[in-house]
Amino acid sequence: MALLVQKFGGTSVGTTERIEAVAEKVCRFRKEGHEVVVVVSAMSGETNRLIGLANEIMEEPTPREMDVLVSTGEQVTIALLSMALQKRGCEARSYTGSQVRIVTDSTHTKARIKQIDEQRMREDLDAGRVVVVAGFQGIDESGNITTLGRGGSDTTAVALAAALKADECQIYTDVDGVYTTDPRVVDSARRLKQITFEEMIEMASLGSKVLQIRSVEFAGKYNVPLRVLSSFQEGEGTLITLEDENAMEQPVVSGIAFNRDEAKLTISGVPDTPGSALRILKPVSDANIEVDMIVQNVGEDNRTAFTFTVHRNDFKRAKEVLQRVADELGAREVGGDSKIAKVSIVGVGMRSHAGVATQMFEALSNEGINIQMISTSEIKISVVIDEKYLELAVRALHSAFGLDKLAVEEEAVKRS
Ligand code: ASP
Ligand code: MG
């Protein structure tokens, strides 16, 4: 018997039929003897619909009222799900974030959870009831309703699991787990049985949008075992946990992530003097433009070139800022390219293996793909390439690091 926190996202509760299906599933766990806390999102499309209504009234609604508005979506689903559970003879009670007392800071529309009172939930669990909690919302110290940012129900679920010291936090969604890479790009992509918090954060921040990144950070910090699985299909999904020190033969690379949302800017002929990096990047950050990769070339003739990437939506604005900087600094020219892609290999196994970068560069070179920028961290190597080679690069790396082969081996095991 375990204490489980189960989160169902918008598509899983998108219609009353689907809500009934969720109730069936939850009842089954209850009947097996587990204690269950359920966290739900708003019905799919509902949060967007509410934001749309607000925008009909004003372009930039006040964040406090926005939170009062969008938090209603989840209140609908907790009530409907509790009814569906009760109809099945499964005792249940619904609570909004403020009723639980999920206390957050006062940063409306992207609040952070500070504290959770788990007392009332415990009383219900002890009385044999399923507790149904509205995701995405809380209350600040002065009693204002707050929300946790888009996709925030994942974070609610993990936070409740941490507060209740649950055995597992299960995130039910429309995919059946975390994959070695996007199956739409590589046919042989396969579901990972297990991945570490750190790897998942890298994969998620690189565009594998299965979970809100913040929920994974939270789970890592409090060591909450997190499982991603499908609401519609049976299966064990992907377990996200701490690194298993005793694991035999960890793969060096666990996944290939990629991102087409970036653009590259170069300012060249910059005087190679102290402070020039600051003078280039400060106006960019002052303009609220986030910078990802940064490369500065070795100076020649006291001049250097400086390249960095930004989100593609910020490309035009960043270029304008850079043009001004170039004039001030007496730099030679500003260039840029918005048709780039970033491809990364991710794996905790890299820490203990040399030559991973070489293997990556070899795989790309064999396909004749030119690398424009490189950046590395302890468990990740990223390269920027021409967008048109993205799919080729992902496929080449997926097979170079044996991620295809694992699929084949698993098939063989299944058949034998
Ligand atoms: N309903 C909110 C959203 O659409 C929160 C969530 O789904 O996690 O962003
Ligand atoms: Mg969601």
Side-chain angles (χ1 to χ4, degrees):
M1 201 182 94
L3 170 50
L4 304 174
V5 174
Q6 304 187 313
K7 182 256 173 179
F8 294 87
T11 15
S12 310
V13 294
T15 60
T16 48
E17 289 84 53
R18 286 192 171 173
I19 291 175
E20 303 246 24
V22 169
E24 275 300 318
K25 199 186 267 288
V26 172
C27 275
R28 238 187 297 134
F29 279 97
R30 253 320 277 147
K31 293 213 175 96
E32 284 166 16
H34 301 298
E35 295 183 299
V36 188
V37 173
V38 184
V39 174
V40 283
S41 294
M43 295 168 81
S44 59
E46 179 62 8
T47 309
N48 288 340
R49 188 186 71 88
L50 294 168
I51 294 172
L53 289 179
N55 291 333
E56 283 175 24
I57 306 256
M58 61 199 294
E59 213 172 291
E60 274 183 56
T62 44
R64 184 187 180 281
E65 303 318 320
M66 205 61 183
D67 280 350
V68 174
L69 177 69
V70 294
S71 63
T72 61
E74 274 72 11
Q75 189 168 339
V76 171
T77 37
I78 54 170
L80 292 174
L81 178 59
S82 299
M83 291 173 196
L85 287 165
Q86 289 162 4
K87 185 169 97 176
R88 286 168 175 75
C90 185
E91 272 196 73
R93 267 191 195 166
S94 63
Y95 295 101
T96 62
S98 66
Q99 285 178 308
V100 172
R101 281 199 71 77
I102 297 177
V103 181
T104 71
D105 63 16
S106 305
T107 326
H108 286 290
T109 75
K110 40 181 182 295
R112 289 188 163 260
I113 296 175
K114 287 168 68 176
Q115 202 194 316
I116 290 177
D117 179 1
E118 81 281 5
Q119 203 44 46
R120 188 178 282 162
M121 289 187 287
R122 279 226 197 278
E123 281 165 23
D124 280 319
L125 292 172
D126 289 345
R129 285 189 281 264
V130 172
V131 179
V132 182
V133 179
F136 174 56
Q137 54 179 265
I139 189 170
D140 75 0
E141 309 267 14
S142 344
N144 299 296
I145 293 175
T146 54
T147 64
L148 309 177
R150 297 308 304 269
S153 301
D154 293 341
T155 301
T156 303
V158 171
L160 292 182
L164 290 161
K165 303 195 174 56
D167 295 290
E168 199 168 280
C169 180
Q170 305 181 329
I171 309 282
Y172 288 88
T173 175
D174 42 11
V175 294
D176 68 347
V178 180
Y179 275 70
T180 48
T181 193
D182 188 339
R184 285 168 300 188
V185 172
V186 182
D187 285 341
S188 55
R190 68 191 170 88
R191 180 177 52 81
L192 291 156
K193 285 206 168 67
Q194 208 165 324
I195 185 173
T196 69
F197 294 118
E198 275 177 289
E199 288 169 325
M200 187 62 214
I201 290 166
E202 293 290 3
M203 296 283 278
S205 62
L206 291 161
S208 314
K209 293 179 197 76
V210 189
L211 286 169
Q212 195 194 34
I213 296 180
R214 207 190 324 154
S215 72
V216 187
E217 288 167 354
F218 208 112
K221 188 162 160 202
Y222 294 97
N223 193 12
V224 177
L226 191 59
R227 193 183 289 276
V228 176
L229 58 191
S230 161
S231 321
F232 308 111
Q233 258 168 272
E234 293 300 316
E236 59 176 62
T238 300
L239 180 66
I240 310 166
T241 54
L242 289 178
E243 204 166 326
D244 183 357
E245 318 266 286
N246 306 316
M248 297 183 319
E249 273 317 296
Q250 278 257 0
V252 179
V253 170
S254 299
I256 317 286
F258 57 86
N259 177 345
R260 316 171 203 246
D261 297 337
E262 292 191 21
K264 179 180 87 167
L265 291 144
T266 300
I267 174 165
S268 50
V270 179
D272 195 5
T273 49
S276 50
L278 175 70
R279 288 175 68 192
I280 292 167
L281 289 176
K282 186 156 186 304
V284 177
S285 79
D286 287 348
N288 251 320
I289 298 171
E290 236 180 275
V291 171
D292 180 26
M293 274 197 216
I294 305 174
V295 172
Q296 187 194 304
N297 286 358
V298 177
E300 229 176 274
D301 305 329
N302 294 324
R303 298 262 163 182
T304 178
F306 210 88
T307 305
F308 57 92
T309 62
V310 297
H311 195 281
R312 235 178 243 193
N313 295 344
D314 292 327
F315 180 58
K316 244 188 85 206
R317 246 172 6 107
K319 209 167 166 195
E320 283 159 17
V321 172
L322 215 53
Q323 203 63 63
R324 257 190 290 123
V325 172
D327 294 342
E328 281 166 29
L329 281 176
R332 204 161 41 234
E333 69 178 329
V334 173
D337 184 354
S338 64
K339 295 212 165 30
I340 57 158
K342 183 164 91 172
V343 183
S344 312
I345 57 176
V346 176
V348 289
M350 260 182 235
R351 282 201 194 108
S352 48
H353 282 79
V356 182
T358 324
Q359 212 181 327
M360 180 183 198
F361 303 154
E362 191 181 7
L364 295 173
S365 137
N366 286 343
E367 299 295 341
I369 300 171
N370 185 41
I371 300 172
Q372 304 178 8
M373 294 170 84
I374 302 169
S375 89
T376 65
S377 78
E378 226 192 337
I379 65 160
K380 177 187 75 177
I381 304 172
S382 305
V383 296
V384 166
I385 59 172
D386 187 326
E387 188 186 25
K388 66 173 182 266
Y389 299 121
L390 173 64
E391 306 202 339
L392 179 60
V394 174
R395 260 181 278 143
L397 293 169
H398 196 264
S399 86
F401 286 99
L403 298 174
D404 291 338
K405 199 168 109 248
L406 285 163
V408 173
E409 276 166 13
E410 266 171 28
E411 271 304 311
V413 172
K414 251 189 273 166
R415 262 183 271 124
S416 65

